[in-house]
Amino acid sequence: MARTRSDAAPRPDLRLVSAESAVYELMKAPETTAERVKRLQMEARALAAEQVEALEVVLKQAAAMAQEIAEGGDAYPVGARELAARLASDLPSKAETLKAIVGRTL
């Protein structure tokens, strides 16, 4: 005999929660405005540091590409090779300077 809906075991109440949902401790008091400001400032600093680190990576990639162009021979115009050679020598030091600046501020 087939089970009807009323005979079946009750289904658990499962709900999906999006990844962006915040989980709050029930025993924790709500944040004060000052605590919230501090937390948001820390988050902003962390995001800024991530973006600067991403810029460092891009600068190093650009330096590698510039080096390839500088060594590319007659396929590239003379002015482009010269500019690429200067970029290849300058960009890594600029990336290191950014890294040092971020290291001092964190």
Side-chain angles (χ1 to χ4, degrees), residues 8-58:
R11 293 180 130 186
D13 185 17
L14 301 175
R15 297 179 190 166
L16 295 177
V17 178
S18 69
E20 294 80 24
S21 296
V23 177
Y24 296 99
E25 292 182 41
L26 296 176
M27 301 301 289
K28 185 176 178 182
E31 282 182 306
T32 65
T33 302
E35 291 169 338
R36 186 171 178 217
V37 167
K38 283 182 183 181
R39 180 180 53 80
L40 291 172
Q41 285 174 336
M42 285 176 30
E43 289 177 17
R45 283 189 204 100
L47 288 172
E50 287 176 17
Q51 190 171 25
V52 171
E53 288 171 3
L55 178 59
E56 289 173 37
V57 170
V58 171

Side-chain angles (χ1 to χ4, degrees), residues 52 56 92-106:
V52 171
E56 289 173 37
S93 65
K94 303 294 184 197
E96 289 303 315
T97 301
L98 276 174
K99 189 175 187 176
I101 291 169
V102 170
R104 281 192 308 236
T105 59
L106 293 179

Side-chain angles (χ1 to χ4, degrees), residues 3-11:
R3 293 178 103 178
T4 63
R5 185 80 168 143
S6 60
D7 294 340
R11 293 180 130 186

